[in-house]
Amino acid sequence: MSEVATSDARVDVAVAAPHAPGITPPSRLDRQGVFLTDIIVDLGFADQGAVREAVEAARQSAKTPERCLLDNGVIDERQLSLALAERNGLDHVDLDLFDVEPEAVGLIDKSTAARYTALPIAFASDGALIVALEDPYDMLGISDIEVIAKSEVRPVVATGTQIQGLIERLPECLPVPPPQPPDESSAPGSLPEPEPQPEPEPETEVAEEPEPEETEPAPVPVPEPAPQPELPNPAAAGRPQPEPAPEPAPLSDDPGELLATLVALQDRTRHAIALAEATEHRIDELEDVDARAREAAATLADERAQFEQERRQGAEREQDLRHELAAARDRIAALEQSLAEVRAAAELARTATEKLAALSSTADADLTPTRHQAEKGGS
């Protein structure tokens, strides 16, 4: 849906129920290419850490990141529904507050509403049907509702719980209006219906014997060729043979039946066109997702290469530091050995000094009497 169509749909919802609360319009209309988890973060429903954990959990399971957030209790169903509406530029409707129009609800049956988790809730100002859906990507459901209701559908988003609850409160057979039969008098090639003729009264007279009708000569029978025996096909042995296609039923000569068949074919054609458009839209979305996935893969490859380069540089730096540490330890060992040698030399010097001092004291003691005698003799 384009931005203009989305804006018109939002205005139509407001016009359909100007005083009814429960309508939350999107804040922006340019979020169709944004990841749903980013919108959840922008709306303040979850933080980046919880989203990263949900993305990692989704890679290990078959769930989407937003489903992991919902299962883990990080967000609730209403917040997920609001994020879906914001991403697609659609209105979000709270069905507990919105005044649903019974005439719109009665346009589809209960089984169809339950099958697609979708329900008409109002009429737009231009007569289009406003349908509340749990999944705004369900183009098949939208196209089926358009065919059944014979009206253009304007989707809005609501929670699946509210839609299912509203469907369960409805009767089993909704009052679907019968289809209006086409005006056969204005249809091309139609013939006026014959007026009913009065039944003839029974005759009391004796019925005359019917005259013998002239009979045409019987055709000469032509002998049919004898059927040829079927030869076994060795290539098809052991495989089930396809059943012959059933012959198409002959068309009736009744103009009413032909017209009804034509209307049914037109409905099927519109349905097929809607499915083709939905498929093309889905293919465009998948191509967009594939392009973003390729860009993400290229970015991841670049980051991985940069990480590998930084890891190699770190390993080389660690090896250099290990070599420097070993050299420092060798230098410390050499210094410790030199210090031990210096300590030993100092101990030897101290011992020699003590011995020299002792010898000096002994020599002085021995020379003292001689010095006194010399002094006396000189006097």
Side-chain angles (χ1 to χ4, degrees):
M1 178 181 292
S2 64
E3 296 182 3
V4 176
T6 304
S7 178
D8 292 342
R10 182 171 66 253
V11 172
D12 288 335
V13 174
V15 170
H19 303 292
I23 301 173
T24 303
S27 60
R28 293 169 55 183
L29 301 177
D30 56 348
R31 292 178 177 263
Q32 296 176 351
V34 182
F35 288 108
L36 188 58
T37 51
D38 295 338
I39 296 178
I40 292 175
V41 174
D42 293 341
L43 295 177
F45 298 154
D47 54 12
Q48 289 288 354
V51 169
R52 283 195 293 269
E53 293 178 359
V55 171
E56 291 296 331
R59 291 175 180 174
Q60 300 175 3
S61 62
K63 300 179 181 179
T64 59
E66 52 272 14
R67 175 55 61 178
C68 293
L69 290 173
L70 183 63
D71 294 342
N72 295 335
V74 179
I75 61 175
D76 55 22
E77 187 181 8
R78 181 178 180 276
Q79 291 173 338
L80 178 58
S81 181
L82 283 169
L84 280 171
E86 183 75 16
R87 185 181 187 275
N88 292 273
L90 299 174
D91 289 332
H92 182 271
V93 178
D94 188 349
L95 294 180
D96 293 337
L97 304 176
F98 189 80
D99 188 11
V100 178
E101 298 183 12
E103 295 82 2
V105 176
L107 288 179
I108 65 173
D109 57 275
K110 186 175 181 179
S111 61
T112 302
R115 180 167 63 252
Y116 296 116
T117 316
L119 193 67
I121 59 174
F123 291 100
S125 59
D126 59 353
L129 188 63
I130 300 174
V131 178
L133 298 101
E134 178 186 17
D135 183 10
Y137 303 108
D138 190 2
M139 299 301 174
L140 178 60
I142 294 175
S143 60
D144 280 353
I145 293 174
E146 286 181 340
V147 173
I148 294 173
K150 296 182 179 180
S151 173
E152 180 186 356
V153 167
R154 300 281 176 80
V156 294
V157 183
T159 62
T161 302
Q162 290 182 345
I163 296 176
Q164 291 289 352
L166 188 58
I167 293 174
E168 291 175 358
R169 293 195 298 268
L170 297 176
E172 289 296 332
C173 297
L174 294 177
V176 180
Q180 297 294 332
D183 189 5
E184 297 182 357
S185 60
S186 60
S190 60
L191 298 177
E193 296 183 358
E195 298 181 357
Q197 300 293 333
E199 297 182 359
E201 298 179 358
E203 299 180 357
T204 56
E205 298 179 357
V206 179
E208 298 179 358
E209 296 183 359
E211 297 179 359
E213 299 180 357
E214 297 181 0
T215 58
E216 298 180 357
V220 179
V222 180
E224 298 181 356
Q228 298 294 331
E230 297 182 357
L231 297 178
N233 186 5
R239 294 184 300 178
Q241 299 296 327
E243 298 180 357
E247 297 182 357
L251 296 177
S252 174
D253 295 334
D254 186 4
E257 293 184 4
L258 290 176
L259 189 58
T261 304
L262 179 61
V263 172
L265 289 177
Q266 290 177 350
D267 291 341
R268 294 178 61 183
T269 303
R270 286 195 296 268
H271 189 191
I273 293 174
L275 289 179
E277 293 176 353
T279 303
E280 184 178 359
H281 179 68
R282 187 60 177 170
I283 290 174
D284 294 339
E285 290 183 351
L286 291 177
E287 288 178 352
D288 185 22
V289 172
D290 184 57
R292 284 186 288 157
R294 286 196 298 267
E295 293 177 359
T299 303
L300 180 61
D302 295 340
E303 292 180 354
R304 184 176 298 175
Q306 184 178 359
F307 173 76
E308 289 293 334
Q309 183 179 1
E310 292 177 355
R311 188 184 63 83
R312 287 194 298 269
Q313 293 176 356
E316 293 175 357
R317 180 59 180 167
E318 181 182 1
Q319 191 69 20
D320 295 340
L321 291 176
R322 288 182 183 274
H323 290 319
E324 293 178 2
L325 180 60
R329 287 177 178 174
D330 293 340
R331 289 196 298 271
I332 292 173
L335 290 174
E336 288 180 351
Q337 184 177 1
S338 300
L339 181 60
E341 293 176 355
V342 169
R343 286 178 178 175
E347 186 67 24
L348 290 176
R350 187 179 61 81
T351 304
T353 303
E354 291 177 355
K355 289 182 179 181
L356 182 60
L359 289 176
S360 176
S361 300
T362 304
D364 290 340
D366 293 339
L367 292 176
T368 300
T370 305
R371 187 180 300 115
H372 287 302
Q373 290 177 3
E375 289 177 354
K376 288 179 180 182
S379 61

